[in-house]
Amino acid sequence: MLFSWIFISCFLQIPILLCSYRSSECLVKMNYRLKEKGNVVIIGLFPAFAVYPLNKTTDWSMLKFNKEVMIEFKLRNYQCILAMRFAIEEINSNPYLLPNTSLGFEINNVPHGQRHTLIKLFSSLSGSNYDIPNYISASESNSAAVLTGPSWIISEIIGTLLDLYKFPQLTFGPFDSLLSEQRRFTSLYQVAPKDTSLTHGIVSLILHFHWIWVGLFIIDDDKGAQTLSDLRSEMDKNGVCTAFVEMISVIRGSFLTKSWKNDVQILESSSNVIIIYGDSDSLLSLIVNIKQKLLTWKVWILISQWDVSKFDDYFMIDSLHGALIFSHHREEIPNFTDFMQKSSPSKYPEDTYLHVLWHIFFNCSFVQKDCKIVHNCLPNASLGFLPGNIFDMAMSEESYNVYNAMYAVAHSLHEMILNQVQFQSHENGKKLILFPWQLHPFLRKTQLINQDGTNMVLHHKSKSHVEYDIVNFWNFPKGLGLNVKVGTFSSNAPKGQKLSISSNMIQWATGSTEIPRSVCSESCHPGFRKTHQEGKTACCFDCTPCPENEISNETDMGQCMKCPETHYANPEKIHCLQKTVTFLAYDDTLGKTLCFMSLGFSSLTAAVLGVFLKNRDTPIVKANNSTLSYTLLVTLTLCFLCPLLFIGHPSTATCVLQQNIFGLLFTVALSTVLAKTITVVIAFKITAPGRVRRWLLISRAPNFIIPLCTLLQIFLSGIWLTTSPPFIDKDAHSEHGHIIIICNKGSAIAFHCTLGYLGALALGSYFMAFLSRNLPDTFNEAKFLAFSMLVFCSVWVTFLPVYHSTKGKIMVAMEVFSILASNASLLVIIFAPKCYIILLRPERNSLCYIRDKTHARSKKTFLTPSFCASEIKQHC
């Protein structure tokens, strides 16, 4: 199968090689002037072929056609000649359009060079074969308009001259803003619609296929510069970047381009989509270079002014296969294809071009004298036999414009004749005189309707609706040359419906089976964000994972979205998940443990209180100020229950009570310990009993320390609650995926002042107990008080750094644990020895034991018996 395609491709290329020097000489010598008589003649100037010297220094007047010249056939332009003939024949056969008036035509080839172009025009205007400037023969010339194109250069050269005579000129080439200048070209009309939305259509196509990395080849002239500006503006608005921009220079006034060296960047560029703006004459050298490099993996986006026959080469693979071409939408002209198929040298023997084509492609023999074919022709030969890459039977955009131009002139003539008939009806029998300048008011009408019902706008100050066909160029195997319509772009359609394209119909470049990609950097998947590469365009970027708690749920996101505080990012950083609301609950293992510890220690303290109450008359209970002991035990019982305020769902009430109840109860406990230590110091430091110290001891003045210290703590709490009380807060950051409901301390200064105040009481108690730790007494608890205060201070000194380094539930648990540990130190160290004696060594808790112990100590310390008796009495 592959060899079959290769054979067919090679066969289709054979006719290109058969051009003889004889055919070139015939076209040049015959000068190619095609005429058909009529009441009104339309002059057509077409670049049907061009002759170039092989050596640039050769004198044109001394050329020898078999050795020194090269002829370039422009079959796409010859189709325009056929379209003009077809339109005039159709108009002449219409009895309702131009009755009693026949249209004729005079067609001349526009040779190379400005001088020869003007010579052809003078010859046609003078109505003779002589090129006489400023001479028009009224008897021989009945020209009404001149048709020029497709190059704007030809139209500009001729238009400058015709404007002097106010002679109507219609150009069928692509619309050019230079030719629309009313001050310079008052008699020129452009049939082609203005490309008001071409750049929008191209960018819409690029965005449809997600191509954001595009190269540009633009013709280097005013129109190309304007198109480049419009393209860049439209691309920037839609996030499309240019991989490179190459401006192709063209020699003004010539069909030859400057020497263009293929830029390395077109091969090395990662862009697989390249836009080419310009006509085939101007960019001939560029396309030749592209074809020679066999860049078959690129997607070319072109405009419709292309003559594919120019680009034939001897490669079996075409680099332009799969190109997408923007062409102005046009309706199918009935019978035009049949007309071209029936066009032959036998039907139009005066058309030298047809004789030359039959000689080249169908091996017909020439008569030496007049370059007419006579025999050895392929039977029933037709232009339809030619491969599509040589001659396309489908009507081109320029041919469609020629067809419309003929109808524009015909309608204008029709209305002009009717207008003259109305004013000259009384002069019967007098011949109507038509002057070309009289056509202008009718040509300037807003709309003219051609044969197929299409509205044409020749006055380009009015806005017209432009619609484009998107054509896919199929040229595999080489020579197929099909232009297949795959979509449309309508600037007047609703937003989102302007572009309509059938992707499944598109044949991509050779070797591609799916839609090509054209990006500078591969897309960033969800979970990543784009990071711009310094010094490069916005389309060149790196993909960076989203930061913590941020997501990107779309492709190619420039910034990650931060999840709300109530949500957290999943591991893939694609979705925000709802955080679980949590707190130090009773159901948690940690909450249960602390709860059981709190209740257990509270029950234990209550049991110790019960033991002391039961044994309140024993010496060991009385020896250490039983009232203070009861107060301390009751306070510790409540202190052990205080952690229950920290467990469970926080509320405003619990948040306010937590710290204030904790501070108040601990103040009572520590002030009670301080009172006990002061009592011990006062009792055992009286070596010479005085009235004041004895009064302090007997009146139990140290007990007033408790209300005084408690009132100060109440004052501090009042300030705290007034200025910045605790409140319910949410901690959404401490634990991943959770929102922890906690109590905010409100004023951190007030909280630390409370801790500092408790610390001062603890240090004071420790200092007083430390002073009396070695005083002699049977039940002296100074050592236990000092040690308990030492442990108490150690717990809270350790608590502070740990508390500030933890968050959430652990922080609350640390505070609860510190409360329980500090309370337990007071309970165990102070009351455990007493309970041991009361419960396990009751014999030591008696007056006799105390008397014997005191007597032994009095001898050892040389105290008087009277003091010992008073001490016993005091303690008993």
Side-chain angles (χ1 to χ4, degrees):
M1 186 67 181
L2 177 61
F3 291 104
S4 309
W5 283 117
I6 294 175
F7 176 76
I8 294 173
S9 179
C10 292
F11 176 76
L12 292 175
Q13 303 306 307
I14 291 174
I16 304 173
L17 310 177
L18 299 180
C19 178
S20 68
Y21 296 111
R22 175 68 174 147
S23 62
S24 302
E25 188 175 358
C26 283
L27 279 175
V28 176
K29 285 186 175 181
M30 296 300 295
N31 209 13
Y32 194 69
R33 172 174 287 187
L34 184 62
K35 298 182 68 173
E36 184 170 316
K37 293 183 179 181
N39 300 120
V40 180
V41 174
I42 301 177
I43 300 173
L45 300 176
F46 298 88
F49 65 91
V51 179
Y52 304 106
L54 296 177
N55 187 352
K56 294 183 179 180
T57 61
T58 303
D59 185 2
W60 277 82
S61 62
M62 303 296 294
L63 285 178
K64 295 181 180 180
F65 288 96
N66 60 339
K67 293 181 180 179
E68 299 178 357
V69 300
M70 176 186 69
I71 188 168
E72 178 189 356
F73 291 93
K74 301 183 178 182
L75 295 181
R76 184 182 176 100
N77 292 340
Y78 181 68
Q79 190 194 76
C80 296
I81 296 175
L82 294 177
M84 182 176 179
R85 182 192 282 269
F86 170 75
I88 290 177
E89 289 184 3
E90 195 175 65
I91 291 169
N92 288 335
S93 63
N94 188 346
Y96 302 103
L97 185 61
L98 293 177
N100 303 320
T101 301
S102 62
L103 283 181
F105 59 83
E106 180 181 335
I107 297 173
N108 286 284
N109 179 59
V110 180
H112 176 75
Q114 180 175 347
R115 173 174 172 267
H116 294 85
T117 300
L118 294 178
I119 289 175
K120 291 290 182 181
L121 179 62
F122 287 137
S123 175
S124 299
L125 292 177
S126 63
S128 65
N129 292 328
Y130 301 99
D131 309 326
I132 306 174
N134 295 328
Y135 172 75
I136 298 178
S137 174
S139 61
E140 296 184 12
S141 177
N142 53 353
S143 304
V146 174
L147 183 65
T148 60
S151 172
W152 64 271
I153 300 175
I154 297 175
S155 300
E156 180 189 14
I157 294 171
I158 296 174
T160 304
L161 175 64
L162 292 180
D163 194 54
L164 298 175
Y165 305 102
K166 305 302 178 184
F167 204 98
Q169 177 189 1
L170 288 84
T171 175
F172 60 88
F175 185 89
D176 195 291
S177 56
L178 178 67
L179 301 178
S180 64
E181 295 180 7
Q182 292 297 317
R183 293 183 179 180
R184 290 187 59 189
F185 304 102
T186 58
S187 302
L188 188 146
Y189 303 91
Q190 299 190 68
V191 182
K194 190 175 182 180
D195 288 321
T196 54
S197 56
L198 177 62
T199 54
H200 188 196
I202 292 175
V203 174
S204 297
L205 177 68
I206 290 172
L207 294 175
H208 176 78
F209 292 111
H210 306 288
W211 296 328
I212 59 172
W213 187 236
V214 180
L216 298 177
F217 282 109
I218 307 290
I219 193 69
D220 192 6
D221 57 11
D222 294 339
K223 188 175 180 181
Q226 182 61 45
T227 302
L228 176 61
S229 175
D230 295 342
L231 260 177
R232 275 186 160 170
S233 176
E234 193 70 26
M235 290 166 67
D236 290 343
K237 285 192 295 185
N238 292 277
V240 181
C241 303
T242 53
F244 62 87
V245 177
E246 187 74 26
M247 302 300 291
I248 309 300
S249 300
V250 62
I251 302 176
R252 183 177 176 86
S254 171
F255 296 114
L256 295 174
T257 59
K258 291 181 180 179
S259 177
W260 183 83
K261 295 181 180 180
N262 190 39
D263 203 315
V264 179
Q265 63 181 343
I266 191 174
L267 297 175
E268 295 181 349
S269 174
S270 57
S271 172
N272 291 325
V273 176
I274 298 177
I275 300 171
I276 301 179
Y277 184 86
D279 58 87
S280 55
D281 286 326
S282 302
L283 300 180
L284 177 59
S285 60
L286 167 65
I287 301 300
V288 170
N289 274 272
I290 291 173
K291 282 177 166 287
Q292 289 177 351
K293 298 298 180 181
L294 287 179
L295 300 176
T296 58
W297 62 90
K298 302 286 186 182
V299 177
W300 308 96
I301 299 178
L302 314 173
I303 57 175
S304 59
Q305 289 80 40
W306 290 91
D307 182 3
V308 296
S309 62
K310 287 176 173 292
F311 310 134
D312 287 318
D313 47 46
Y314 305 111
F315 297 107
M316 290 179 291
I317 298 176
D318 187 7
S319 298
L320 294 179
H321 170 72
L324 296 172
I325 304 172
F326 275 80
S327 174
H328 289 101
H329 175 72
R330 53 190 181 274
E331 299 296 334
E332 189 69 26
I333 303 299
N335 304 321
F336 179 67
T337 303
D338 292 339
F339 171 79
M340 287 194 298
Q341 288 179 340
K342 293 176 181 178
S343 298
S344 65
S346 59
K347 184 177 180 181
Y348 302 112
E350 75 282 1
D351 192 342
T352 310
Y353 211 113
L354 284 174
H355 289 271
V356 171
L357 291 180
W358 254 248
H359 173 65
I360 294 173
F361 294 105
F362 303 124
N363 200 26
C364 294
S365 300
F366 270 144
V367 175
Q368 183 72 21
K369 192 172 183 180
D370 58 0
C371 293
K372 296 293 192 301
I373 59 171
V374 288
H375 53 78
N376 296 331
C377 287
L378 183 68
N380 299 320
S382 167
L383 291 174
F385 287 6
L386 300 181
N389 64 323
I390 295 178
F391 189 83
D392 192 356
M393 295 296 289
M395 178 175 268
S396 67
E397 186 172 333
E398 293 84 359
S399 298
Y400 185 74
N401 292 338
V402 169
Y403 181 83
N404 287 338
M406 293 301 98
Y407 269 93
V409 174
H411 280 286
S412 299
L413 282 170
H414 182 78
E415 293 188 20
M416 187 180 75
I417 292 173
L418 290 177
N419 186 65
Q420 288 192 355
V421 167
Q422 291 176 0
F423 285 98
Q424 299 180 10
S425 58
H426 60 282
E427 301 180 8
N428 295 326
K430 188 174 181 180
K431 182 181 178 181
L432 295 177
I433 300 175
L434 304 179
F435 295 101
W437 55 265
Q438 293 176 315
L439 277 177
H440 287 301
F442 305 97
L443 287 172
R444 290 194 183 103
K445 284 188 176 181
T446 305
Q447 290 186 348
L448 294 170
I449 302 177
N450 65 8
Q451 186 71 5
D452 67 343
T454 303
N455 291 333
M456 295 177 294
V457 179
L458 299 182
H459 187 52
H460 292 290
K461 287 186 177 180
S462 60
K463 295 183 179 179
S464 61
H465 166 59
V466 180
E467 185 175 347
Y468 295 94
D469 291 333
I470 301 174
V471 178
N472 189 211
F473 180 58
W474 294 2
N475 202 25
F476 183 81
K478 186 68 175 292
L480 183 62
L482 291 180
N483 288 318
V484 180
K485 181 179 175 181
V486 295
T488 59
F489 177 82
S490 177
S491 59
N492 205 34
K495 187 175 182 181
Q497 302 177 15
K498 297 181 183 293
L499 180 70
S500 174
I501 193 162
S502 301
S503 302
N504 58 331
M505 293 180 59
I506 299 177
Q507 286 193 10
W508 299 108
T510 307
S512 299
T513 57
E514 55 185 20
I515 299 175
R517 290 178 54 79
S518 186
V519 294
C520 180
S521 301
E522 289 299 325
S523 298
C524 292
H525 298 293
F528 293 82
R529 63 180 175 89
K530 296 193 297 185
T531 304
H532 177 63
Q533 295 179 359
E534 189 173 353
K536 295 186 179 180
T537 62
C539 296
C540 300
F541 50 83
D542 297 319
C543 295
T544 307
C546 287
E548 188 67 27
N549 208 40
E550 293 186 13
I551 65 164
S552 62
N553 53 8
E554 295 179 4
T555 303
D556 286 338
M557 289 190 64
Q559 294 293 333
C560 297
M561 299 181 297
K562 192 173 183 63
C563 289
E565 287 195 353
T566 56
H567 293 71
Y568 69 99
N570 66 336
E572 293 80 17
K573 307 291 181 66
I574 300 176
H575 302 293
C576 288
L577 304 178
Q578 182 77 36
K579 288 183 178 181
T580 304
V581 177
T582 185
F583 47 88
L584 187 59
Y586 291 103
D587 296 336
D588 294 343
T589 304
L590 184 60
K592 288 179 180 179
T593 302
L594 295 175
C595 182
F596 290 147
M597 290 177 63
S598 176
L599 294 175
F601 278 114
S602 181
S603 302
L604 179 61
T605 308
V608 172
L609 178 60
V611 171
F612 268 61
L613 289 174
K614 185 178 180 181
N615 298 277
R616 59 183 177 276
D617 295 328
T618 58
I620 196 169
V621 175
K622 292 182 177 182
N624 301 114
N625 198 329
S626 58
T627 303
L628 293 178
S629 296
Y630 299 152
T631 304
L632 181 58
L633 286 170
V634 171
T635 305
L636 288 177
T637 302
L638 297 176
C639 284
F640 279 121
L641 294 176
C642 183
L644 297 179
L645 294 172
F646 292 82
I647 305 173
H649 194 292
S651 63
T652 304
T654 55
C655 288
V656 171
L657 293 174
Q658 276 180 8
Q659 306 301 332
N660 289 280
I661 295 297
F662 153 71
L664 184 62
L665 291 176
F666 265 62
T667 300
V668 174
L670 291 176
S671 60
T672 302
V673 174
L674 179 60
K676 288 174 70 68
T677 54
I678 291 176
T679 301
V680 173
V681 171
I682 293 174
F684 290 100
K685 285 296 181 178
I686 303 175
T687 54
R691 186 174 181 181
V692 177
R693 293 183 180 180
R694 183 177 295 277
W695 176 83
L696 289 174
L697 189 61
I698 294 173
S699 63
R700 301 184 184 274
N703 292 355
F704 292 100
I705 293 175
I706 300 173
L708 290 176
C709 293
T710 303
L711 286 174
L712 182 57
Q713 177 59 43
I714 292 173
F715 176 73
L716 292 175
S717 296
I719 296 176
W720 186 359
L721 293 176
T722 304
T723 56
S724 179
F727 58 90
I728 302 175
D729 197 6
K730 295 180 180 179
D731 183 1
H733 309 288
S734 299
E735 192 172 343
H736 183 70
H738 293 83
I739 298 178
I740 303 173
I741 308 298
I742 57 174
C743 288
N744 192 301
K745 303 296 186 298
S747 173
I749 297 175
F751 172 68
H752 289 91
C753 286
T754 299
L755 292 181
Y757 179 65
L758 296 177
L761 291 178
L763 288 174
S765 300
Y766 171 74
F767 180 73
M768 297 302 295
F770 183 79
L771 293 178
S772 59
R773 69 189 186 283
N774 293 323
L775 294 177
D777 185 26
T778 303
F779 300 116
N780 184 4
E781 59 179 353
K783 291 181 179 180
F784 301 118
L785 292 173
F787 187 63
S788 66
M789 289 298 99
L790 180 62
V791 174
F792 184 92
C793 292
S794 300
V795 169
W796 287 103
V797 167
T798 307
F799 160 77
L800 285 175
V802 177
Y803 177 82
H804 287 289
S805 63
T806 55
K807 298 291 183 182
K809 293 193 297 184
I810 304 301
M811 182 178 68
V812 178
M814 277 302 305
E815 187 171 0
V816 171
F817 181 78
S818 299
I819 292 172
L820 294 175
S822 56
N823 286 339
S825 66
L826 296 179
L827 175 65
V828 174
I829 296 174
I830 296 176
F831 293 100
K834 296 181 176 57
C835 291
Y836 172 75
I837 294 174
I838 295 173
L839 298 176
L840 302 179
R841 303 295 296 271
E843 69 278 3
R844 296 173 57 180
N845 189 17
S846 62
L847 290 175
C848 295
Y849 177 78
I850 295 173
R851 187 180 298 114
D852 294 340
K853 193 78 180 285
T854 305
H855 180 67
R857 189 173 65 250
S858 63
K859 290 183 178 181
K860 189 174 182 179
T861 56
F862 305 102
L863 295 176
T864 60
S866 60
F867 179 77
C868 291
S870 64
E871 183 182 289
I872 293 171
K873 182 178 180 181
Q874 175 68 24
H875 283 75
C876 294

